[in-house]
Amino acid sequence: MTEKFIFEDERRDLARIAKLFFDRNRTNVAGGNISEKIIPKEDYIYDNICIKANHPYIIMTPTMMSEAWFGDLEASQILVVDLDSGEKMDGVGRLTREINLHEEAYKANPNITVVYHSHAPKSMFWATCGLDEPNVTEITNVQVPLGKLKCLHYSPACTKELADTVREELLNRPNQIDNFLLLDSHGVLITTNDLHRAAMILEVTEWNAEIAYKQAVFNKLGLLDGYHSCGKKI
């Protein structure tokens, strides 16, 4: 039996999600990145790498995930990072400069275990306008209650300013694990506590973004008096 490498199952799953959602046009070759926090229950050593119990690690897509690999990654390319020190411990590839965005999200709320950043095109419409995305679908209001789909003020990509802006927003939502934030002119940021839930949030918010856009057109044409959701005007 072949011995597994560090966090093999989780890294295979993350690589699969990255490829699936790139193929579904949920990000583009300009970037996007995904991370998942893991806290092992036991100490173990593999290939001279010591993994400590009750210590936070993240697994994360490497830089150039989209540009060089079109989201088609091997599990060994998913990086293992010590969340406290920021040190890469395993994986083929380099850390993205946007790791600071992920680190600050995890610091803001310890119950967040997944951070998913993408350039989802329909949500990007609202982000490039600097507008909050109207929350109009039942699933984003009731089944996965995301609340306000807020657009944060513009901060350049990969900067400390952007990471700090995200952290401040999450600190203002201390009891909210599921979050969907628009990054002005940049993309979207999702936080939650399960990788597959993050993928589902990305999927349903893209549908919401398109429906909200169409409501905006109907409003401009005078065919609708504001945005509507769940049987009422919002």
Side-chain angles (χ1 to χ4, degrees):
M1 180 176 176
T2 303
E3 188 172 11
K4 290 186 174 183
F5 52 80
I6 297 170
F7 306 139
E8 180 179 352
D9 290 341
E10 294 89 345
R11 289 161 79 182
R12 289 194 186 283
D13 194 34
L14 197 155
R16 185 176 69 87
I17 292 292
K19 176 65 164 64
L20 178 64
F21 277 76
F22 184 91
D23 289 348
R24 289 182 63 79
N25 196 33
R26 297 300 182 250
T27 196
N28 60 10
V29 294
N33 32 72
I34 314 167
S35 71
E36 181 176 10
K37 182 169 73 172
I38 301 173
I39 301 179
K41 294 181 180 179
E42 298 178 350
D43 292 336
Y44 67 93
I45 298 175
Y46 177 78
D47 197 23
N48 296 320
I49 299 173
C50 179
I51 297 297
K52 296 179 286 185
N54 303 314
H55 185 85
Y57 301 89
I58 61 172
I59 58 174
M60 187 172 191
T61 52
T63 190
M64 305 295 284
M65 171 190 84
S66 300
E67 298 95 320
W69 301 99
F70 305 107
D72 191 7
L73 302 169
E74 299 292 336
S76 60
Q77 292 176 277
I78 303 301
L79 309 179
V80 178
V81 181
D82 185 312
L83 185 55
D84 285 350
S85 68
E87 175 192 1
K88 188 186 92 169
M89 304 184 67
D90 195 35
V92 179
R94 294 182 293 114
L95 285 170
T96 172
R97 292 179 298 160
E98 287 191 313
I99 190 174
N100 58 355
L101 198 65
H102 295 247
E103 290 171 331
E104 292 305 322
Y106 291 124
K107 289 176 185 176
N109 186 338
N111 294 315
I112 289 171
T113 60
V114 175
V115 178
Y116 196 145
H117 167 52
S118 86
H119 301 167
K122 294 170 184 175
S123 295
M124 281 283 282
F125 163 78
W126 298 97
T128 56
C129 294
L131 296 173
D132 297 342
E133 182 181 317
N135 191 344
V136 297
T137 61
E138 182 181 41
I139 191 168
T140 51
N141 267 300
V142 180
Q143 297 178 40
V144 188
L146 295 171
K148 187 175 183 180
L149 307 180
K150 184 175 180 180
C151 185
L152 305 184
H153 68 78
Y154 176 72
S155 302
C158 304
T159 61
K160 183 178 184 299
E161 179 187 353
L162 177 59
D164 288 345
T165 297
V166 167
R167 182 170 185 264
E168 289 168 12
E169 180 61 31
L170 294 176
L171 286 173
N172 289 329
R173 308 175 179 201
N175 300 316
Q176 191 167 329
I177 298 172
D178 290 341
N179 292 284
F180 175 87
L181 302 174
L182 295 167
L183 310 179
D184 190 334
S185 301
H186 185 174
V188 306
L189 188 80
I190 293 164
T191 72
T192 186
N193 58 2
D194 179 85
L195 178 61
H196 291 251
R197 186 172 178 84
M200 185 264 283
I201 290 172
L202 179 58
E203 187 77 4
V204 298
T205 49
E206 272 297 90
W207 279 89
N208 180 84
E210 180 176 4
I211 302 304
Y213 167 78
K214 290 175 178 177
Q215 286 201 23
V217 172
F218 268 42
N219 275 305
K220 187 66 175 177
L221 293 173
L223 300 174
L224 199 64
D225 60 335
Y227 294 99
H228 289 252
S229 178
C230 300
K232 62 182 180 181
K233 185 176 176 179
I234 59 171

